[in-house]
Amino acid sequence: MKLHTLGACIAFLLWVGHAPAKTVTVETIEVSPAQGEDSPAASPETIPLGDLPGTLESADEVIVDVPDVLQDRPQILYNKSYLPKPVARMHSQMMEAALSGDINRMRIILESNEVMPTLSFGEIEDPIDFLKESSGDGEGFEILAILADVLDAGFVHVDAGTPQEMYVWPYFSRYPIQDLTPEQKVELFRIVTSGDFAEMEQYGAWNFYRVGIGPDGTLHYFVAGD
């Protein structure tokens, strides 16, 4: 082979090795489904109203959009980690007093407020004597059991950002009685009797015991009635 021919071959090979690679453009074409066929990716999932989430288990959980028919219902909460520390502290103190079986432990809690919490819509003299008188057994055991059941129920956070902001137990006291699901009615009957519920249906709202605690941990009420 002649030297000039060999040199030409080497030069050609070097040019091929350093030449930029060619690129190929691939075009993606969406093919519409045939007439009358539904595309699985485009078809939205239909969720029955009964399957919509109605509770918030933690403060970090994402709240989904719900139909307008549910917009006026408060969000039902169960996870105590949602509560501000002062509210959680008051809730814990009241639960401990209720489960202790000693009605007198409620005095410390009630008198820790600057203003006595509402226990009745009428005037009372001694709060512990009033709680005993309100209890079916006359010693306060029934009222403590009611308090424990109320505090153990789901709750709601209402009037956020206003002077009336409150954490309220049970959530039934701020929830439409006529809209309760079968599961919610089971929750309700852990606190009241069927006779109590029948009266509530006639009245149109919860009228049994409820607890209201302000965001600063102040106990505003433990009261029953209208």
Side-chain angles (χ1 to χ4, degrees), residues 202-214:
Q202 292 182 353
Y203 177 69
W206 177 269
N207 59 10
F208 197 61
Y209 282 94
R210 60 260 193 198
V211 169
I213 303 176

Side-chain angles (χ1 to χ4, degrees), residues 117-129:
T118 299
L119 301 178
S120 170
F121 293 109
E123 293 187 5
I124 62 174
E125 295 183 4
D126 182 81
I128 301 303
D129 288 344

Side-chain angles (χ1 to χ4, degrees), residues 84-97:
K85 288 184 178 180
V87 180
R89 187 181 307 114
M90 175 57 72
H91 179 277
S92 178
Q93 291 174 353
M94 294 182 71
M95 181 63 84
E96 288 177 5

